[in-house]
Amino acid sequence: MSDRWTGTWLSGPGSAQGRDDGPQRWPGERLGLPEQGPGAVAARGARLGAFLADLVIAALVTSLFVQMDVQRPEVMQTFNYWAILVWFGISVVAVSLFGFTPGKLLFGLRVVRVDGATMVGPLRAIPRTLLTAVIIPAAMADRDGRGLHDRAVGTVVVRIR
């Protein structure tokens, strides 16, 4: 999927900032981000690791309140529904207020707005998390390394160390 195609309908607020269809030497260059180190676009592997860590954390938190029995599918189905809701709640609150989830903090990542505002806020964190839950938008990245969920809300995941 080309950046030009998605840019017409999934640009999100502030994504036109630094927009240039010319050649790019590294992901995030058009956004004014460094090539390496803190502030550089996060690698896909680190983002996936952070996502998986968040799922494990959500399952552990859920297991404190909801019965888990791998031998009974109906019990596990209920557990999984609650775990998804816990993951959603943790993700929305943490990204809204701090810019990172526990998994992102563990992997040294942070969600930032491309317009330079200091907080992501719930108006961006809720749709971003909903789109992450669908998986496909998060897996499809543009040449800046931003998933469609980030493009839709005007954010980018960067390294903090």
Side-chain angles (χ1 to χ4, degrees):
M1 179 173 301
S2 81
D3 180 39
R4 182 182 313 253
W5 180 73
T6 58
T8 61
W9 61 281
L10 276 180
S11 299
S15 66
Q17 175 184 348
R19 180 154 176 87
D20 177 14
D21 289 328
Q24 177 173 300
R25 295 177 297 202
W26 65 83
E29 178 185 23
R30 294 178 315 132
L31 300 171
L33 302 175
E35 183 175 3
Q36 299 176 17
V41 172
R44 290 180 127 189
R47 293 190 331 235
L48 177 61
F51 175 69
L52 293 175
D54 286 332
L55 292 177
V56 169
I57 291 166
L60 291 172
V61 170
T62 303
S63 69
L64 297 174
F65 305 101
V66 179
Q67 177 187 2
M68 186 171 99
D69 184 353
V70 294
Q71 300 298 319
R72 298 176 49 207
E74 69 280 357
V75 172
M76 287 309 296
Q77 184 175 16
T78 301
F79 177 85
N80 289 335
Y81 287 143
W82 280 106
I84 290 169
L85 286 174
V86 168
W87 168 81
F88 183 82
I90 290 171
S91 295
V92 167
V93 171
V95 169
S96 293
L97 298 176
F98 310 114
F100 53 80
T101 61
K104 282 183 177 47
L105 182 61
L106 181 68
F107 279 78
L109 308 178
R110 184 163 191 231
V111 179
V112 297
R113 288 173 48 168
V114 295
D115 64 5
T118 56
M119 287 183 58
V120 174
L123 293 178
R124 283 181 168 76
I126 291 170
R128 184 183 185 282
T129 304
L130 284 171
L131 289 170
T132 300
V134 178
I135 303 289
I136 301 298
M140 298 177 65
D142 65 8
R143 64 184 176 163
D144 286 315
R146 295 169 61 202
L148 294 180
H149 65 307
D150 281 319
R151 286 189 56 88
V153 298
T155 59
V156 62
V157 179
V158 297
R159 296 173 47 190
I160 57 174
R161 58 177 183 250

